[in-house]
Amino acid sequence: MEATYWHEKWKKNNIAFHEASGNSLLSEFFSQLSLSKGDRVFVPLCGKTRDIAWLLSGGYRVVGAELSEMAVEQLFQEMDITPEVEQIANLKRYKASNIDIYVGDIFDLDKEILQEVDGIYDRAALVALPQDIRPVYAQHLMAMTKVAPQLLISFEYEQSELAGPPFSISSQEIFERYNANYHLKMLASRDVPGGLKGLVPAREVAWLLTRR
């Protein structure tokens, strides 16, 4: 999926994937990661998610990665935070107290730039990527985070009835991507009210991934 696709989504404010009130599965299950206040949480392909404000309010530090600079600018504006901005290699870093957001291609982000993270919250990354990119992303994520524990949110629906993103990702695929490095536990599987995009019945699934 080309970068221009996502830039156009943000430019046209076509962001149905953005949850205005944050994700309820995060608040319900984040404690399963067994993190402590002050721990650093990585949020890949974060957009301007309200979940970041929730994590900050809980005393966690947040680091994110996002392709769209417009999304990141809106994120800080909506939190009423003025960040420092600097260029780091092929990425821009928006930095403020307890938060760093890297703007650019997530595959340009590595463990040296990212630095230590204690946990991962993936609500919008794996499901945003087409099937041929997901194996590469999963390996990259594990490499740059040193297999940090994850709270992973996915969707399951009949892919033939609706073109992603977000894409449908089966339990089998989750195991294929992560089972070699993580213990996997399904925490919840819930119907998406009104269906995905109001078009197709779907379930939102929460997974806990802990290092083997």
Side-chain angles (χ1 to χ4, degrees), residues 190-206:
R190 298 175 180 170
D191 289 333
V192 176
L196 194 62
K197 300 183 180 180
L199 297 172
V200 59
R203 297 186 69 79
E204 190 174 27
V205 186

Side-chain angles (χ1 to χ4, degrees), residues 27-161:
S27 56
E28 184 170 352
F29 293 114
F30 186 75
S31 63
Q32 298 280 330
L33 289 174
S34 300
L35 301 183
S36 302
K37 288 186 178 182
D39 281 350
R40 198 161 183 250
V41 181
F42 182 44
V43 186
L45 307 191
C46 61
K48 61 172 186 176
T49 177
R50 301 278 186 180
D51 295 334
I52 287 177
W54 186 90
L55 289 165
L56 291 171
S57 70
Y60 302 99
R61 295 180 296 144
V62 175
V63 55
E66 170 54 41
L67 182 64
S68 169
E69 189 166 14
M70 181 181 293
V72 175
E73 289 172 346
Q74 291 178 15
L75 168 68
F76 282 93
Q77 288 168 4
E78 292 177 8
M79 292 194 298
D80 197 24
I81 296 173
T82 301
E84 298 175 6
V85 183
E86 62 179 330
Q87 192 76 32
I88 298 180
N90 293 328
L91 303 163
K92 276 188 181 180
R93 180 171 70 174
Y94 280 63
K95 179 179 178 62
S97 178
N98 295 323
I99 180 170
D100 300 281
I101 305 294
Y102 291 94
V103 178
D105 189 331
I106 194 170
F107 294 106
D108 287 331
L109 185 61
D110 58 31
K111 62 184 178 182
E112 287 75 26
I113 296 173
L114 182 63
Q115 299 182 359
E116 291 291 331
V117 298
D118 302 291
I120 302 164
Y121 170 55
D122 183 344
R123 183 197 73 82
L126 188 67
V127 297
L129 300 171
Q131 189 171 20
D132 59 331
I133 301 299
R134 294 198 290 266
V136 182
Y137 162 78
Q139 290 299 317
H140 180 62
L141 181 66
M142 289 185 287
M144 66 178 168
T145 64
K146 300 179 182 178
V147 196
Q150 293 191 48
L151 177 61
L152 171 65
I153 311 297
S154 64
F155 291 102
E156 293 183 358
Y157 64 93
E158 182 50 60
Q159 189 72 81
S160 64
E161 295 183 11

